[in-house]
Amino acid sequence: MKFGFFDDERREYVINTPETPWPWINYLGNEDFFSLVSNTAGGYSFYKDAKFRRLTRYRYNNVPMDNGGRYFYINEGGTVWSPGWKPVKTPLDNYECRHGLSYTKITGEKDGLEAEVLLFVPLKSWCEVQKMKLTNKSGQKRSFKLFSFQEWCLWNAEDDQNNLQRNLNTGEVEIDGSTLYHKTEYKERRNHYAFYHVNEPVQGFDTDRESFVGLYNEFSGPRAVLEGKPGNSVAHGWSPIASHYFEIELEPGETKEMVFLLGYIENPEDEKWEAKNVINKKPAKAAISRFDSVEKVNAAFDDLRKYWDNLLDGFVLDSGDEKLDRMVNIWNQYQCMVTFNMSRSASFFEVGIGRGMGFRDSNQDLIGFVHQIPERAKERIIDIASTQFEDGGAYHQYQPLTKRGNDAIGGNFNDDPLWLILSTAEYIKETGDYGILDEMVPFDNDMSVAKSHFEHLKLSFYHVVNNLGPHGLPLIGRADWNDCLNLNCFSNNPNESFQTTENKSGGTAESIMIAGLFVVYGKEYSKLCRQIGKSEEANDADKHVDSMVEAIKKHGWDGEWYLRAYDFYGKKVGGNENEEGKIFIESQGWCSMAEVGKEEGMVEKALDSVKEKLDSKYGIVLNNPAFTKYVIEYGEISTYPAGYKENAGIFCHNNPWIMIGETNIGRGERAWEYYKKICPAYLEDISDLHRTEPYVYAQMVAGKDAAKPGEAKNSWLTGTAAWNYYAITRYILGIRPDYDGLVVDPCIPAYWKGFSVKRRLRGTTFNIKVQNTNAVSKGVARMTVDGKEIKGNVVSVFDGKEHDVQVEMG
Ligand code: GLC
Ligand code: GLC
């Protein structure tokens, strides 16, 4: 069952019922100011950091679902409704939500009165525009009351929920005509405030929640709205809000547009006040003046569209399959940009206070957007590397506002450092900018101990070499990519977190997933060394990589597939001798990407085992058989019910590793089959089962052992976005930047006739046409550039012009 449709022309997903199987959300903002918005206008806004600078309040996992947002209320002669259906939930005659790229347009119609709200964050601004367009489509004159509504969050979102004994006293506002200011804590250590403005004189307002909503009313029926009368309240403590009030009349056919603006301001310490206890509003007025008319707002909206035209123009696919095209050309790239901005901090599953920017997550996310915003990708790499430790280890996360690492969600994940090699290599391949390697980058943000970025990569590589276990395989530390395989944490205390306890530290548990990862990025490191003339360094690295390959073949092979790990006691994890969890996906993915034992047939065997034991209707599960009992020496993994999350869920992030592995041995059809199974556009028809947005990937889909296989959770903020984009574009379509040029090496189903791709790389545009008249899966028989045949399958003319590239497979 579907709840809307794709409008590819406008790059929108159009939702035509407010009662989606889960709130279907979108993100506004591209740089500093961000908002989450659901299809019924729920959500919240923040400046840079969803924890420390949250502007508006949101209640997660509430009853009813999705409570709080930018709400508008219309009261016409006692009929009360909201354009986004919620919170009032009066049935609408028409409802539509269009989620586009960094904007959302919600339209509701009741008895011939239409209200359309366009929401977006203009480029280079710190505000959310809410353009309201009211149209009288009926034959009669209409007269009604309009209320806006936002509830302020007292900045620190965690404190806001917890520290009520303080918070209910601190709230402060100022009112200046149509601008309602929120200035809690501005008097003391804060230099920032927020405002909610409208570009018309108001006929009333409210800034105190109780006056507006009523103590025992709900958002669905606020006192002021029901009575049709604002309270003109001034908040002192309790819960400050912002609500504007208008009495409006519209002749038949008449339209009225207004611009509401939610903004954030920072003042220099010595310019905080314009009079005693009166905030300096000059910068707010300047910000408002940029968007105080419909014309200015429309122009800003055009700029936003152009911004996306340009971002998406770097990779354009024409495959003849509209679902594939819309994912590759629009939604998958869009989701990658959202993960760039959010990492794992704020979604409708991530509450914005727990997780900042992950070291491993952010490095991996980068491979999905580096072609769109290479300069910002470079800045991101340096930010991440700046939190690294001098021994090559890493904080697991850093806070976006301060850019400082912290161990709030644990540390000592021994896969972390290696992902820095991935992101850096992809950045250089994209841009040709080796200069990044010479940048001086601090450790733990301490510039006095800075070293070149190249040294950071070297330390990342040697962090593995210096931390090997009894089988010569990498020590796992707290965990590797799988946060829940906590082999050095024996927890029988439900009050402690698996993420921060490590009571068997010093343990010798080893990870074959990290071993495979090390072979892949160790080879990459060595290749990079050769590129910059460090051949001795490369030779040394090769030796370590070779011994790792040997160690995997000797101690990491179980006969039909790669083992997953050795536990604290030196026992096998993920082997046939195990009762449950006999096989895991991660080591199959990484060891097949690393091609460990390819000549001996290991890669093919392992991938066949994946097909046989892990594949299912809705994707490849993480492990099997699922754990049905708690295994104390394995940690969090076996705490999950069978079929969910890391315990045999379809953890979509790792499916593309298998796809890439399949392309390594030329099995295009199998790779494609795996791709389609988890790709959201192909799941649109089963949205009632899938539940999350059909335009973005979810982290997890319930696996074959779950109660409801196919049901997804945790959409948006997942490495799945970057990895699937990487798998489809670089390995299945095979358009892959390398140090010395653009490689064309498709691995597709033999029945595909071909496809075309426009790829921008280093300022040059390649119009690539791949033809598969010989019906093969892999192999390039012939390639011409501007009509001239070339040797091999790498184009390397970077002259800033356009080139025609013809590729014949065979
Ligand atoms: C979550 C984490 C990621 C981890 C994965 C598997 O997605 O963000 O870092 O690798 O879970 O446990
Ligand atoms: C839990 C989740 C995992 C996530 C981690 C983040 O372990 O299962 O997916 O990465 O928490 O801390």
Side-chain angles (χ1 to χ4, degrees), residues 307-325:
Y307 170 81
W308 276 106
D309 287 343
N310 177 53
L311 285 185
L312 297 182
D313 200 40
F315 195 108
V316 185
L317 167 68
D318 179 3
S319 69
D321 176 337
E322 66 169 11
K323 292 184 177 139
L324 177 61
D325 289 357

Side-chain angles (χ1 to χ4, degrees), residues 344 355 360-361 481-484 646 651 699:
R344 304 295 172 269
R355 303 212 277 159
R360 80 153 83 88
D361 290 339
W481 172 87
N482 188 332
D483 277 338
C484 297
E646 280 89 340
F651 211 97
Q699 180 205 55

Side-chain angles (χ1 to χ4, degrees), residues 546-675:
D546 289 346
S547 16
M548 189 66 79
V549 170
E550 287 316 305
I552 299 174
K553 286 191 195 170
K554 194 153 170 223
H555 301 293
W557 180 249
D558 195 54
E560 299 290 322
W561 58 81
Y562 304 98
L563 285 173
R564 179 61 177 85
Y566 284 93
D567 71 12
F568 183 78
Y569 303 109
K571 290 204 303 233
K572 291 175 183 171
V573 180
N576 202 24
E577 68 183 48
N578 294 100
E579 194 189 326
E580 298 185 325
K582 287 174 182 289
I583 172 172
F584 282 69
I585 195 171
E586 304 97 323
S587 42
Q588 317 315 319
W590 283 101
C591 295
S592 63
M593 284 163 81
E595 307 192 339
V596 173
K598 191 175 173 187
E599 309 76 44
E600 296 94 319
M602 289 180 181
V603 172
E604 202 173 324
K605 254 195 208 156
L607 291 173
D608 287 344
S609 300
V610 168
K611 178 79 196 151
E612 189 195 317
K613 303 204 161 6
L614 299 179
D615 187 29
S616 74
K617 185 168 174 199
Y618 300 108
I620 313 167
V621 301
L622 192 145
N623 59 297
N624 234 250
F627 294 103
T628 55
K629 34 186 190 269
Y630 179 49
V631 188
I632 188 166
E633 67 270 28
Y634 285 6
E636 187 173 359
I637 188 165
S638 60
T639 65
Y640 283 115
Y644 294 94
K645 291 282 283 183
E646 280 89 340
N647 184 15
I650 298 156
F651 211 97
C652 301
H653 184 145
N654 53 38
N655 279 219
W657 300 342
I658 300 297
M659 297 169 205
I660 297 171
E662 289 287 355
T663 66
N664 275 349
I665 55 169
R667 297 200 293 205
E669 198 162 333
R670 178 126 350 137
W672 171 242
E673 185 194 309
Y674 287 142
Y675 175 82

Side-chain angles (χ1 to χ4, degrees), residues 385-396 412 443-444 456 459:
S386 303
T387 66
Q388 199 174 14
F389 299 128
E390 285 181 81
D391 73 347
Y395 281 115
H396 200 46
N412 225 359
F443 291 97
D444 199 0
H456 280 258
L459 284 161

Side-chain angles (χ1 to χ4, degrees), residues 14 93 129 133 151 161 172 174 209 253 296 341 422 490 551 643 647 698 700 716:
V14 188
D93 302 328
V129 164
K133 185 173 169 190
E151 183 178 11
Q161 299 176 3
E172 285 191 293
E174 273 185 40
R209 192 181 73 201
K296 289 183 193 174
N341 287 320
L422 162 69
F490 292 13
N647 184 15
M700 191 230 33
W716 284 98

Side-chain angles (χ1 to χ4, degrees), residues 73-76 78-82 88 90 220 222 225-226:
Y73 298 91
I74 291 172
N75 182 342
E76 185 177 20
T79 302
V80 176
W81 57 284
S82 290
V88 182
T90 300
S220 58
V225 176
L226 296 183

Side-chain angles (χ1 to χ4, degrees), residues 177-180 198 200-205 243-247 260:
S178 297
T179 316
L180 308 171
V198 57
E200 292 225 354
V202 293
Q203 278 128 313
F205 61 87
S243 168
H244 306 100
Y245 169 72
F246 294 95
E247 289 163 12
F260 294 83

